[in-house]
Amino acid sequence: MAKTNSWISHIEAFVDASCSSNQQNASVDAIAALVKNDSLTLEDLVREMELYLTTTDNIIRARGTLLLGEVLSHLTAKPLSSTIISSLVGFFTSRLADWQALRGTLVGCLALLRRKSNVGMVVGNEAKMLAENYLANVQTQSLAVHDRKLCFEVLQCLLDVYPEAVMDLDDELIRGILDAIDGEKDPRCLILTFHIAETLMRLFPDQSKSEESFAEEIFEILSCYFPIYFTHQKVDDLQIKRDDLSRELMNAFCSTPYFEPFAIPLVLDKLSSSLPLAKLDSLKYLSNCILHYGADRMFKHAKDIWFALKDVIFDFSPEGIIESAGDMESQKAQIAKEALTCLQMAVSQLNFVNSEPFTSLILDDPDIERIFLSVCLERSYSGIPKETLHQLNSIGSILSIASKVSIDGCSKVFQKFFPRLMNLLGVDKNDSSYGCIKDCNTSSNLNFGALYLCVEFLDSCRDLTIGLQDIPPQAPDSWCYLLKDFCGPLSYAFKSSLVNTVTAAKTGQEYVPCVVKGLQVLATFPGCHSPVSEKIYEDILAVLMSVITGRFDEPFLWRTALEALIQIGLHIEKFHDSKKERGYCKFVVERIVSMLLHDDTTSLGVKLEVISEIGTAGPDFMSTVIRGLEDVIFSNFSEIWVNGNLGAAEILVPLLQCYSNRVLPWCHKFGKADQVAMQFATNIWNLMEKSSVLSVEFQRNGVLDTTMMVMKLCVGYCTEENQSIIVRKAYTILSSTTFLLLDSLGLPLSNLEALQSIPDISGLSCKDEWLISLFASVVIVLHPQTPVPDVGALTRLFTVFLLKGHLPAAQALASMINKWPANIGTAELSSTHELEVVIDVVLESISAVLSSCLKECKIANGTDDNLSCSSLISYQIHAIVGLAWLGKSLLMRGHDKVKEIAKRLLKCLLSDQDIPATSVAKDEARDNDQNMHSLLIRAAADAFHILLTDSEVCLNRKFHATMRPLYKQRFFSSMMPVLLSSIKESNSSRTRAILYRALGHIFSDTPLAAVVAEAKKVIPALLEGLSISTLGVSNKEMTYNLLLVLSGILMDENGKEAIVENAHTIINHLIRLVSYPHMMLVRETAIQCLTAMSSLPHTRIYPMRPQVLRALVMSLDDPKRHVRQEAVRCRQAWASIASRSLHF
Amino acid sequence: MATGLINANPIVYERKERRVRDSPIDTDEDIKDPEHPYSLEELKVVTEDSIEVNNKQSHVRVTFTPTVEHCSMATIIGLCLRVKLMRSLPPRYKVDIRVAPGTHATEAAGIFPFSSLSLLLKNSILALFFSVNELTIISA
């Protein structure tokens, strides 16, 4: 038991009106916590609070009751005994009459009513008592918003949880609730009242006389809210949207069929309103009402509904036949769509027992007949007036909905219209001559209106058959037989019209989609009860294929036909139609593949586009496509390697790109990439193994690069097991070649001569270079878990090639170290293969090369041996680049050794100072040497760029790199102080420049948020770096990157303060950049930055105004238009800071 | 000031789709009419064809057409155009602004040979102009 006085103080705090609301909340929480962990029982609390609950001071009593209520609402999950609950309910029920303390009472009631049965809940009798007391004492509409909301919640809870108990109250309850909800205006409460009305109507479904009248009464209350007029646009403060309100009201409207006599006339009336929102709502309500009220009750309204819908559809259908995506968003299109949904609901629901169904209302409508006749008069598309097009669209959608819903309706529509359409199109079902060549003149001007309607019909009855499981036997005049009779000649008509569109290219734009869609629909009738025979199906495929193969100079037609073929393929795949699949494979996929192999007339790009897109229709088709592609790729490979045919290389690159960019990602999406990629990678290695001589030089075609990329993607998609198979195979092939058996590989690498004795990359045979590059690609993408064979030798091999300047080898080594298992089990590998040891070995050999080169270099300086000196420098550059990649891999996995690498790089940056000044006599030699040396230092500075940028070729997420979050930020914050302090210490301007270059890389490659956080320190250094980098042409990329960082800080809220502090210096720098001659983007961005600067506090920037305006005068005459435009905008901004004078 | 608008119901034209041009002048598209929230271009006071630019001789001539013949705002429109051009063009340009012949009642007085005014007058016009209309017209 907690000490009494400790919680008494909480009660006092809560009751005391002078305490802040935070304190009061805290005391409620404290008391509730005490009760929850049983330190305090509810009985004690109530006993202690007796005075507060019964005092005659209204304010204190209200606070006391509220406290009890709040505490209870914290305890909904705590089990309470039934005696406590019943006494509490009794208490609150009696307090309902106390209007001064009503808030607390309501909170308490709600908390009690919401309890679940497993923790003890209020029994029915007590709930009934509560309801009775509520109805007798509470005047809901006279309360404030918050209290009203509580009231409605209590009512809702009573109706939901204790329906039997409150049902006994019958009339009294209904009256009470009606009074309570009448005239409510607050949206938060309205949502509740709509719900209450809905529940109430569900609870009293009896059909007695009194209820009919009460339905009318309650509908009267609801109807004044329809359609919802809600101007509150912002969602945030009330958390209620117009749609929520509208949906709740709709549910209330549909809650009982008794609303029908009142609701339908109201909705139909509002449907004719001119407000688009009212129309939209009415349509939604109408379709819901149709669903809920039932056909019997809706019978008498059927005619009115049809007329209303007809008007809306004819007024609001989109004007174009082909809808664009933007159109769909507009309100008008929404209304049209909603109207069609409503019509579909009416057609499917309103089938009356004793009378004609809704469909016949449509079919017998004289308007429909009249419009049908008028639109079918249009012979060609180009002459159709907009209005007729509009009508065509509307009637098309109405009739297709009428036929889409049921077989019966479909047959009726077909009987009435289809033969007439066929007649208009000139298709005769008895014409047996279709298929053979006949005079095509008739079809060249197919009646457009009839064509459009016909395709719409076909589409809707296709949809109907797809939806049905099996079609019952039908009368001989049903649509199915009609279609069977006509589909042969019809498809022939389509076909010949497609052939003829060549001549009529202009009208083709509208005819083609219709005709192609017609063919596509005919081809996609589901197999078992298709009215379309197999021969016609094959014919259709052949027609579409003839477009693909023969008419790629008509892009629109070609694209449409391709889309149709893909759709047919997707349809077959979706419904597993084996018969059609066979035809599709034979007539489409295989023909395309053979086209790729044998046809030289079509351009390769077109063929690849077709083949990759057709493949996406389904896995079976894709596997055929893949087989075809692989055949071509490998035959080209052997063409190059065996026959030395260089021309094949040009074909190979797009083939490989298509394979890696389109086919592999698709396979990956459908989970089949593993096998496919494995197969492909193995095949390449097999080829490498077999082809003994690769003497041809064809690197310049980019074949090697593309092959490496494909290899990376393939192996990347493989599972670990397959990866390990590939890597083992590759290693066997690699180790069997001769060049690796050189003894020198065994020598210690710190020995420079040993390194020089190994042949250079340029000295390698072509095949060896392919081998090592492809092998490096495999290693780059391995999963961290994939075992790598013979790690020791591989590390060594890659280190050697890294020092030789082979970039893929450096990346492979970096990837290996990045994914090296962190804590190796003792059994598998000896201690020499632990990560630390390996890193040490690699670093040692690299730094040995670096330092011994430096030594040699100094010696060479004394002699005239320039050549060896420059080759030594190039070794050093290779070492630096390798170091950078290594550093990146360590940085990404968060290894500490990266610090050591950074230190080495920094040392290299600073090495400029201790180059000894040699004798003046060898001036020329010294210049050359200086040049080489500055290249080296530059490489060291650029190493920071490698360290921090995301690479496309390795060490990224796609290639399974180990990546610690925020590694860039960490590097940034640890390196920046070091670099800044060394800049301060260095006294040579060249060293400073190079240090700023390194720092610049760090700034521009770190995520902006991290840079902004350090803005105060960054900005001075950034500006200094900018002014140094503007000196040379070669630094223009760097200048631009730094400027982008500056503008990023400028745009960020958090960076503002540092910007304001340095405003003058920044503006001075920007003014200089405004006339930067080497890069347009720099000028433009600088001016944009200046424009942004003009919004800083005027006192800071006003003194700079004349300077800025003077500088901008020059930019007004800039040779580039973009710069001039920015300059005008900027000048305007700066000139209007203080506009009293023109003298700028 | 007159209480009513001089041209209460102007015809508004669609803005011309900008094509990419090499001419250095492209900025008077956003000047608003003194009476209406439309730009001068939308009211066809200034059109692309009415602007002649001679880049070699650094000369610009703008010919504008007031919306109605007795438009008292013609002077202000002319001044707006001039200020905007002064801000937007390099100083080497000489700017001539004229009312199109036959479109304004006081055509002769509608020409703005700004450079030929005495310095004193020039400054006083500008001072007046800026004090009255700056915020409402130029930066609008």
Side-chain angles (χ1 to χ4, degrees):
Chain A
M1 184 91 189
K3 273 190 196 152
T4 321
N5 39 12
S6 71
W7 50 269
I8 294 286
S9 65
H10 287 308
I11 300 179
E12 278 162 0
F14 188 86
V15 174
D16 185 359
S18 62
C19 284
S20 74
S21 62
N22 277 345
Q23 273 173 313
Q24 293 175 345
N25 288 342
S27 38
V28 172
D29 289 341
I31 295 174
L34 284 176
V35 180
K36 240 182 238 174
N37 58 25
D38 290 326
S39 320
L40 171 66
T41 58
L42 266 179
E43 289 96 327
D44 287 326
L45 179 69
V46 173
R47 209 168 297 130
E48 200 59 45
M49 285 181 64
E50 189 187 353
L51 256 179
Y52 294 112
L53 296 175
T54 54
T55 173
T56 49
D57 183 333
N58 290 335
I59 297 171
I60 292 180
R61 197 173 66 243
R63 294 298 299 173
T65 327
L66 185 57
L67 176 61
L68 189 58
E70 293 278 358
V71 169
L72 280 178
S73 61
H74 278 71
L75 299 177
T76 43
K78 185 182 168 64
L80 294 175
S81 73
S82 59
T83 45
I84 292 183
I85 290 179
S86 71
S87 66
L88 281 170
V89 167
F91 168 72
F92 281 121
T93 307
S94 66
R95 302 311 305 168
L96 277 169
D98 177 10
W99 64 269
Q100 281 105 338
L102 193 61
R103 164 82 65 94
T105 315
L106 289 172
V107 172
C109 288
L110 198 55
L112 288 170
L113 288 175
R114 280 186 177 161
R115 295 180 67 82
K116 299 273 180 298
S117 60
N118 55 348
V119 288
M121 64 192 291
V122 180
V123 293
N125 246 345
E126 290 161 350
K128 187 178 164 190
M129 282 287 289
L130 198 155
E132 255 170 349
N133 245 339
Y134 175 92
L135 295 172
N137 292 313
V138 182
Q139 297 292 321
T140 315
Q141 279 306 316
S142 61
L143 300 174
V145 176
H146 190 84
D147 294 340
R148 284 210 304 278
K149 189 159 173 258
L150 284 172
C151 285
F152 291 131
E153 277 170 325
V154 169
L155 283 177
Q156 184 67 52
C157 216
L158 281 171
L159 290 175
D160 281 347
V161 189
Y162 305 96
E164 309 85 30
V166 292
M167 285 262 279
D168 297 347
L169 295 173
D170 210 20
D171 226 25
E172 197 186 339
L173 178 76
I174 295 168
R175 288 282 146 232
I177 288 181
L178 279 178
D179 281 347
I181 65 177
D182 192 8
E184 181 57 59
K185 284 196 179 65
D186 188 82
R188 285 161 293 184
C189 298
L190 274 178
I191 283 235
L192 293 169
T193 56
F194 293 159
H195 200 69
I196 289 175
E198 185 195 341
T199 325
L200 193 63
M201 293 313 293
R202 298 237 159 97
L203 281 185
F204 295 95
D206 305 342
Q207 209 175 351
S208 65
K209 193 69 200 154
S210 70
E211 250 124 47
E212 283 271 4
S213 64
F214 115 79
E216 182 173 2
E217 239 170 283
I218 204 161
F219 189 79
E220 212 162 86
I221 294 173
L222 290 176
S223 65
C224 55
Y225 299 109
F226 177 79
I228 299 279
Y229 180 68
F230 190 55
T231 46
H232 207 87
Q233 289 301 326
K234 276 192 198 151
V235 190
D236 47 343
D237 43 357
L238 292 185
Q239 301 288 330
I240 288 173
K241 284 182 249 162
R242 184 188 178 279
D243 289 352
D244 299 336
L245 274 174
S246 175
R247 194 165 351 99
E248 282 298 329
L249 184 59
M250 182 163 76
N251 288 340
F253 264 45
C254 301
S255 55
T256 167
Y258 296 117
F259 282 157
E260 167 267 325
F262 325 110
I264 300 295
L266 175 72
V267 171
L268 286 177
D269 181 43
K270 295 292 178 194
L271 186 57
S272 57
S273 123
S274 59
L275 280 174
L277 264 181
K279 264 195 196 325
L280 205 56
D281 261 10
S282 310
L283 288 168
K284 275 184 200 157
Y285 280 47
L286 188 57
S287 35
N288 253 289
C289 288
I290 291 173
L291 184 66
H292 283 95
Y293 293 172
D296 291 345
R297 273 180 174 270
M298 295 305 288
F299 171 66
K300 51 182 174 292
H301 299 293
K303 226 174 206 151
D304 295 336
I305 291 176
W306 161 238
F307 288 140
L309 284 178
K310 187 174 70 175
D311 287 347
V312 175
I313 291 172
F314 276 109
D315 286 348
F316 283 87
S317 293
E319 267 148 24
I321 297 290
I322 308 152
E323 299 151 11
S324 64
D327 258 15
M328 291 307 289
E329 301 306 314
S330 73
Q331 215 159 30
K332 211 178 151 190
Q334 261 182 15
I335 291 176
K337 205 174 131 208
E338 205 54 59
L340 291 177
T341 324
C342 189
L343 181 67
Q344 184 162 5
M345 181 62 83
V347 172
S348 60
Q349 294 295 321
L350 303 184
N351 293 312
F352 311 115
V353 187
N354 302 324
S355 175
E356 292 277 275
F358 196 81
T359 328
S360 45
L361 268 178
I362 301 177
L363 294 179
D364 298 340
D365 192 308
D367 278 354
I368 293 287
E369 180 67 30
R370 182 177 55 79
I371 292 168
F372 178 81
L373 285 176
S374 84
V375 296
C376 285
L377 284 178
E378 297 302 333
R379 298 208 52 85
S380 74
Y381 178 76
S382 47
I384 300 187
K386 229 174 177 185
E387 243 166 79
T388 318
L389 208 57
H390 185 75
Q391 286 180 335
L392 179 60
N393 200 344
S394 315
I395 197 171
S397 17
I398 290 177
L399 290 180
S400 81
I401 279 179
S403 53
K404 202 186 289 188
V405 172
S406 69
I407 295 178
D408 222 28
C410 188
S411 289
K412 273 191 187 137
V413 174
F414 260 70
Q415 281 157 20
K416 180 151 184 183
F417 295 110
F418 200 67
R420 286 155 73 186
L421 284 177
M422 292 299 108
N423 202 10
L424 284 165
L425 286 174
V427 177
D428 185 1
K429 71 173 166 183
N430 299 320
D431 182 1
S432 57
S433 68
Y434 74 89
C436 53
I437 311 297
K438 67 170 188 180
D439 184 21
C440 293
N441 278 344
T442 46
S443 48
S444 69
N445 44 2
L446 278 181
N447 183 320
F448 182 77
L451 177 67
Y452 175 77
L453 286 182
C454 168
V455 171
E456 286 289 296
F457 280 5
L458 289 178
D459 191 32
S460 61
C461 69
R462 195 261 324 255
D463 286 353
L464 178 67
T465 31
I466 284 176
L468 295 172
Q469 291 308 318
D470 53 342
I471 296 184
Q474 289 168 44
D477 60 344
S478 77
W479 62 272
C480 197
Y481 289 94
L482 269 173
L483 193 56
K484 222 174 234 170
D485 288 344
F486 276 111
C487 76
L490 188 60
S491 76
Y492 180 72
F494 284 159
K495 184 172 149 188
S496 55
S497 131
L498 205 56
V499 173
N500 278 9
T501 43
V502 196
T503 49
K506 255 186 207 161
T507 51
Q509 293 291 319
E510 292 301 332
Y511 271 104
V512 163
C514 259
V515 174
V516 172
K517 190 180 171 193
L519 287 173
Q520 179 196 326
V521 169
L522 281 179
T524 48
F525 269 98
C528 44
H529 24 67
S530 165
V532 183
S533 72
E534 207 165 333
K535 179 164 182 320
I536 296 173
Y537 167 70
E538 286 167 8
D539 253 11
I540 292 171
L541 291 183
V543 170
L544 290 174
M545 274 311 288
S546 75
V547 173
I548 297 292
T549 50
R551 297 169 69 175
F552 38 82
D553 47 342
E554 292 165 70
F556 183 69
L557 172 65
W558 189 83
R559 178 87 347 235
T560 324
L562 182 59
E563 287 295 325
L565 274 177
I566 293 169
Q567 287 304 321
I568 295 173
L570 284 173
H571 178 267
I572 292 171
E573 196 53 40
K574 195 170 157 196
F575 294 97
H576 308 290
D577 195 333
S578 58
K579 217 199 263 168
K580 286 201 167 157
E581 190 178 336
R582 245 174 287 135
Y584 194 76
C585 270
K586 189 170 153 205
F587 284 93
V588 180
V589 183
E590 280 170 20
R591 272 200 63 187
I592 289 174
V593 170
S594 75
M595 191 168 100
L596 186 66
L597 285 171
H598 307 297
D599 179 13
D600 291 332
T601 52
T602 325
S603 81
L604 186 64
V606 171
K607 283 193 280 189
L608 287 177
E609 189 174 354
V610 176
I611 203 166
S612 54
E613 296 217 2
I614 288 290
T616 56
D620 291 336
F621 310 134
M622 191 51 117
S623 63
T624 320
V625 166
I626 288 173
R627 238 176 293 133
L629 259 180
E630 282 180 355
D631 279 353
V632 185
I633 288 175
F634 289 115
S635 73
N636 272 306
F637 261 127
S638 52
E639 185 76 6
I640 297 173
W641 285 340
V642 180
N643 304 338
N645 181 355
L646 279 182
E650 266 152 42
I651 307 171
L652 194 54
V653 172
L655 277 172
L656 286 172
Q657 274 165 351
C658 170
Y659 192 82
S660 64
N661 294 340
R662 298 195 188 200
V663 177
L664 277 180
W666 188 88
C667 291
H668 180 62
K669 212 168 111 198
F670 286 83
K672 297 195 186 299
D674 184 29
Q675 299 157 6
V676 175
M678 165 82 181
Q679 187 65 35
F680 191 80
T682 324
N683 283 346
I684 290 190
W685 281 107
N686 283 340
L687 256 177
M688 290 299 300
E689 195 176 15
K690 266 185 250 162
S691 58
S692 51
V693 193
L694 269 172
S695 55
V696 200
E697 298 274 333
F698 55 90
Q699 288 92 326
R700 60 198 152 80
N701 302 52
V703 178
L704 179 55
D705 286 342
T706 323
T707 317
M708 275 170 69
M709 200 60 205
V710 176
M711 181 60 90
K712 280 179 196 169
L713 284 174
C714 280
V715 180
Y717 283 134
C718 287
T719 55
E720 284 134 41
E721 294 84 43
N722 286 342
Q723 280 190 344
S724 85
I725 295 172
I726 293 173
V727 79
R728 245 179 285 134
K729 182 180 177 73
Y731 186 67
T732 342
I733 297 171
L734 185 71
S735 51
S736 67
T737 52
T738 47
F739 76 104
L740 284 172
L741 298 177
L742 291 172
D743 294 336
S744 47
L745 266 183
L747 291 175
L749 286 170
S750 51
N751 189 341
L752 207 57
E753 277 99 46
L755 190 60
Q756 274 164 334
S757 69
I758 303 172
D760 278 350
I761 304 294
S762 50
L764 283 179
S765 77
C766 186
K767 183 179 176 186
D768 292 341
E769 196 189 339
W770 269 76
L771 271 178
I772 186 80
S773 300
L774 284 183
F775 187 70
S777 316
V778 172
V779 172
I780 281 172
V781 292
L782 290 182
H783 280 289
Q785 297 87 353
T786 312
V788 182
D790 209 358
V791 268
L794 276 184
T795 325
R796 209 170 162 69
L797 174 78
F798 284 137
T799 315
V800 171
F801 276 94
L802 175 156
L803 290 172
K804 287 285 181 188
H806 192 252
L807 199 58
Q811 290 164 348
L813 182 62
S815 300
M816 266 174 78
I817 288 183
N818 179 259
K819 296 163 193 172
W820 206 283
N823 40 357
I824 294 175
T826 46
E828 297 171 47
L829 293 162
S830 60
S831 61
T832 52
H833 292 145
E834 265 177 32
L835 179 59
E836 307 286 330
V837 182
V838 171
I839 295 172
D840 280 343
V841 169
V842 174
L843 277 185
E844 217 166 83
S845 37
I846 293 179
S847 47
V849 168
L850 272 177
S851 57
S852 68
C853 277
L854 208 62
K855 228 185 292 161
E856 297 271 322
C857 208
K858 275 177 191 163
I859 300 166
N861 255 337
T863 67
D864 282 334
D865 194 2
N866 274 330
L867 198 71
S868 77
C869 185
S870 66
S871 81
L872 284 174
I873 293 275
S874 73
Y875 273 131
Q876 278 177 297
I877 292 177
H878 297 331
I880 293 280
V881 172
L883 211 54
W885 281 107
L886 219 57
K888 185 176 169 61
S889 79
L890 291 176
L891 178 64
M892 283 172 78
R893 67 179 290 168
H895 197 275
D896 268 347
K897 278 271 162 52
V898 68
K899 280 183 195 145
E900 212 166 288
I901 291 178
K903 248 184 247 163
R904 270 231 71 99
L905 289 173
L906 200 60
K907 202 172 142 200
C908 197
L909 288 178
L910 294 171
S911 71
D912 203 17
Q913 285 163 327
D914 37 68
I915 273 276
T918 42
S919 57
V920 194
K922 287 169 189 152
D923 228 8
E924 204 180 310
R926 208 178 133 246
D927 267 2
N928 192 14
D929 176 39
Q930 282 284 0
N931 251 343
M932 290 305 291
H933 194 75
S934 67
L935 271 184
L936 171 64
I937 292 179
R938 213 184 147 104
D942 291 343
F944 285 95
H945 181 59
I946 297 178
L947 267 169
L948 283 180
T949 44
D950 300 317
S951 168
E952 274 292 302
V953 289
C954 69
L955 288 178
N956 53 35
R957 197 142 285 168
K958 201 161 74 185
F959 296 155
H960 316 296
T962 318
M963 224 184 269
R964 283 270 296 273
L966 300 179
Y967 71 95
K968 288 180 184 173
Q969 283 85 335
R970 218 169 291 140
F971 188 73
F972 168 77
S973 51
S974 65
M975 274 317 281
M976 192 180 65
V978 179
L979 278 172
L980 283 179
S981 68
S982 25
I983 287 173
K984 218 177 266 173
E985 282 160 19
S986 87
N987 37 23
S988 129
S989 66
R990 276 184 52 193
T991 314
R992 271 225 296 280
I994 214 70
L995 283 170
Y996 272 121
R997 189 178 171 82
L999 197 59
H1001 281 310
I1002 293 181
F1003 284 157
S1004 52
D1005 295 334
T1006 310
L1008 191 64
V1011 181
V1012 170
E1014 296 279 336
K1016 274 191 187 151
K1017 279 186 222 160
V1018 169
I1019 286 178
L1022 187 69
L1023 293 174
E1024 197 56 34
L1026 258 178
S1027 61
I1028 287 174
S1029 70
T1030 41
L1031 294 178
V1033 192
S1034 56
N1035 290 332
K1036 59 183 181 186
E1037 283 300 325
M1038 174 58 86
T1039 313
Y1040 184 52
N1041 287 339
L1042 288 178
L1043 197 55
L1044 283 182
V1045 176
L1046 182 64
S1047 74
I1049 299 175
L1050 201 57
M1051 289 301 165
D1052 200 298
E1053 260 322 297
N1054 301 327
K1056 275 272 157 62
E1057 198 185 329
I1059 294 280
V1060 171
E1061 240 167 63
N1062 295 299
H1064 288 202
T1065 1
I1066 294 175
I1067 290 177
N1068 276 330
H1069 275 92
L1070 287 174
I1071 285 176
R1072 245 170 281 150
L1073 287 174
V1074 160
S1075 52
Y1076 187 75
H1078 309 301
M1079 201 175 178
M1080 190 266 273
L1081 279 173
V1082 170
R1083 293 198 298 273
E1084 196 185 345
T1085 317
I1087 296 176
Q1088 279 167 343
C1089 286
L1090 273 179
T1091 317
M1093 294 290 286
S1094 74
S1095 62
L1096 294 182
H1098 285 193
T1099 43
R1100 287 295 295 170
I1101 54 168
Y1102 184 69
M1104 309 300 290
R1105 182 170 172 267
Q1107 256 173 288
V1108 174
L1109 290 173
R1110 230 175 294 135
L1112 285 171
V1113 168
M1114 303 303 291
S1115 305
L1116 287 177
D1117 233 354
D1118 198 279
K1120 297 283 186 189
R1121 184 181 158 81
H1122 284 291
V1123 180
R1124 290 197 301 270
Q1125 264 176 336
E1126 285 302 331
V1128 167
R1129 225 163 278 151
C1130 185
R1131 219 165 119 88
Q1132 177 71 31
W1134 278 85
S1136 27
I1137 291 177
S1139 51
R1140 289 271 162 154
S1141 80
L1142 262 185
H1143 302 292
F1144 26 73
Chain B
M1 278 292 251
T3 43
L5 297 174
I6 296 169
N7 180 8
N9 217 353
I11 308 164
V12 182
Y13 301 88
E14 214 167 284
R15 282 184 66 151
K16 195 170 171 185
E17 218 27 67
R18 292 275 134 194
R19 65 167 191 276
V20 181
R21 291 172 303 173
D22 289 330
S23 142
I25 175 172
D26 44 33
T27 45
D28 37 25
E29 55 206 49
D30 297 327
I31 306 177
K32 299 280 186 286
D33 185 280
E35 282 188 348
H36 302 288
Y38 304 111
S39 75
L40 292 186
E41 193 188 0
E42 283 168 318
L43 295 171
K44 282 218 174 151
V45 173
V46 183
T47 61
E48 216 167 290
D49 302 329
S50 66
I51 304 169
E52 297 160 48
V53 182
N54 189 335
N55 201 15
K56 271 190 200 132
Q57 293 178 3
S58 301
H59 185 258
V60 177
R61 176 187 288 168
V62 180
T63 312
F64 70 90
T65 317
T67 47
V68 284
E69 252 187 30
H70 49 276
C71 183
S72 67
M73 296 287 172
T75 329
I76 290 184
I77 293 176
L79 269 171
C80 280
L81 283 172
R82 174 168 294 278
V83 171
K84 185 82 185 183
L85 286 175
M86 278 174 86
R87 284 184 173 179
S88 314
L89 286 177
R92 64 188 166 91
Y93 279 93
K94 181 182 184 304
V95 181
D96 267 349
I97 297 174
R98 314 188 312 164
V99 179
T103 56
H104 198 259
T106 53
E107 197 178 306
I111 306 172
F112 304 91
F114 198 75
S115 47
S116 66
L117 292 176
S118 76
L119 190 69
L120 189 70
L121 186 55
K122 192 157 109 183
N123 280 346
S124 61
I125 290 177
L126 286 175
L128 181 75
F129 178 66
F130 278 110
S131 59
V132 176
N133 284 309
E134 166 62 29
L135 289 173
T136 50
I137 299 172
I138 294 186
S139 55

